[in-house]
Amino acid sequence: MELGVATGDVTRVETQALVVNLYQGIGKPGGATAAIDKALEGQITALIEEGEITGALEEITIVHTAGRLPARRIVVVGLGKKEECDLEALRKAMGAATRRLLKHQITRFHTILHGGGDLDATGATPRELAQALAESAILAAYRWDRKTVAPADEPGEIHERDKAALQSVVVVEKDGRKRQAIQRGLDRGERLARAVTYTRDLGNQPPNEMTPVRLAEEARRLAREHDLGCRVFNKGELERMGMGGILAVGQGSGNEPRMIVLRYKGGRDKDRPVAVVGKAITFDTGGISIKPSASMEEMKFDKMGGCAVLGILKAAALLELKLNLIGVVPSAENMPSGTAYRPGDILKSYSGKTIEIVNTDAEGRLVLADALSWAVQQKPREIIDLATLTGACVVALGHYASGVFGDERMVARLEEIGVATGDRAWRLPIYPEFGDDMKSEVADIKNSGGRWGGASTAAAFLKFFVDDGTPWAHLDIAGTAWTTKSKGYTPWGATGAGVRLVTEYLAARP
Ligand code: BES
Ligand code: MN
Ligand code: ZN
C-alpha cells in the first residue's frame, strides 16, 4: 500500500480516478473542483444545476472525462455543509469515496487534500487533514471474511481478503511547501490505521479459533514483532496468584483462561507507566444465566476490549510514543456446563475482596476486578480500561459513542479527543448510590445491581477494585466495538473502537 504526495496541477494528473469535493449548498465549485469543472466545460456545474450533485455528506458522483482530462474519472464527494465540516466529516467522505472506488475494482487513485483549501472550515493543519485522509481510506478499505466462493470471472480461485484491497492513494497538492507536512500526516494516519485493522482482525476471528490461549499466542507474536515485553499467566499461575474472578468465569469452558501482560517502553526507566486494561471474553454465552439465542453469535466480539489493548500497544510502538505502557488482558470463555460457576457462588478476587455472584452473565467485571487490582499493584500513574461491559450502555448511547466513567480530568480529555478522532466517548456518572446498589448481604460486593443504571452500577463495581487513588477511566465499548452495518469508514464487523481514542490520548499526554 502506497500513500504519497504529488506536487502539481490536478488537471494534469494521469490516473484511474481523481477525488475532488463539494460543500453542500454551493452553486459554483471552488479550488481544485473549479479547475476540473473548467476542463470539463462546466459539466460539474451543470450537474449541480440539475440537482444531481448536492454536496451532501458522503454523496458520490462519478464523472467520466472521455479524454478531456488525463484523469479517466472524476469523483465528486460531498462534504456536507461548510460550517459543519470537521475532520470526522472529511473521514466519512473519504471513506465513502474509497469504498465506492473499490467496489468498481479501482485500487489506485489520486485525491486532493480535502478541507485543504479552507483551513478555517475545519481549523485543521495540512498534517491533520492528511492523517484523517489516510486513516479513513485504509479503514474504509478494510474487510474480513472466510469466504471460499470464487469471483465470477475467476472460476475455482479462493477469494482472498486482499482481492480488491487498496493499493495506492496519492494526494495532489499544488503548493510544494505543504508536501512534507502532508507526507507526515499520511504516514501517521497509516500507522494508526494499521493498529486499528490489527484490532479488527483479532476481533473478527471466530470464537472456535480465537480462544484465550490463541489470543495469548497472538500477544507473544505482537511482542516479538515490536520488541515489547510479554508475560502470559496460565491457569496454574492464576490459581497460585488467587485470581478468583478470571478462574470462575473460565471454569465452565474447555478453553482455559489466561491473563496477558504486555509492556512497551518508550519513556525513561523511572517514568511510571500508564496501564491499559481490556476485557477479553472470547465468547460470552452468559454462562448458567444463559443469554437468549438471538444474536448470540455477536458475543464473539466480547473480546474487543482486550483486542483494543493489543492494538493500542501496537500503535504506541509504531508511533514511538514517549511513555511507558502496561497492557493487561484478562481472557476467558463464559460457558454453561457442569463445571461452570453459578449464581449464589461467592468468589475471592485477587484483591482479597469477596464477590457474591447473582448473575453469571455479569462476567466481564469479574475478570476486570482481578486485572485492575493487579494493574494497581504495578503503581501506574493512570489506568484506562476498555470493555464491552453492559447492554445498558448500548441502551443509553446506541452505537454512536462509548460510555466513559471515572476520573474527572481523564474523562474530560477523553471526551475531547473523542470529538477530534470521531472515536467518541460520552460521560456517564458513578454516583455513590450506584455503589450502594452493588452491596451484598453475604460478601463485600455482588456482581449485579439489577436493571436500572446498569452501565453505572458496573462502573461502580470496577471502581471498588481500583479505589486507592490511582486516576482511572473506564470505557464501556459495548455499543461501539462492532457494527452490523457498513458505514463511512467502518465496515461490517469489529470496528477497533477505542484504539484511536486511547492512542491519541496517550500521544497528547505532556
Ligand atoms: N458482554 C455483555 C454486555 C453486552 C451485551 C455487550 C449486549 C454488547 C451487547 C456482558 O457480559 C453482559 O452480559 N452484561 C449484562 C450484565 C447484567 C447481567 C448485570 C448485561 O448488560 O445485560
Ligand atoms: Mn455477559
Ligand atoms: Zn460479556
Side-chain angles (χ1 to χ4, degrees), residues 32-33 54 97 183-184 193-194 217 248 322 338-339 353 361 451 453:
T33 313
T54 67
Q183 188 62 56
R184 286 217 180 106
R194 289 290 163 227
E217 278 166 15
K322 301 268 173 289
T339 62
K353 291 172 178 166
D361 198 9
R451 192 158 159 217

Side-chain angles (χ1 to χ4, degrees), residues 279 284 291 299 302 359 361 363 388-391 448 478 482:
K279 164 182 173 181
D284 181 12
K291 289 182 183 294
M299 282 300 139
D302 211 19
N359 190 321
D361 198 9
E363 84 297 335
T388 48
L389 202 63
T390 67
S448 169
W482 74 91

Side-chain angles (χ1 to χ4, degrees), residues 303-327:
K303 58 186 180 299
M304 290 319 301
C307 298
V309 166
L310 266 58
I312 291 161
L313 271 100
K314 186 180 181 75
L318 288 171
L319 298 179
E320 299 173 31
L321 296 189
K322 301 268 173 289
L323 85 174
N324 298 332
L325 275 181
I326 307 185

Side-chain angles (χ1 to χ4, degrees), residues 51 79 90 288 305 378 424 488:
L79 298 184
L90 297 178
I288 297 301
Q378 310 303 304
R424 281 191 295 228

Side-chain angles (χ1 to χ4, degrees), residues 255-274:
N255 293 307
E256 285 187 5
R258 291 289 183 267
M259 189 170 89
I260 303 161
V261 177
L262 288 164
R263 289 177 199 268
Y264 165 74
K265 193 176 163 298
R268 291 164 299 187
D269 283 336
K270 64 172 169 59
D271 293 346
R272 286 164 73 192
V274 174

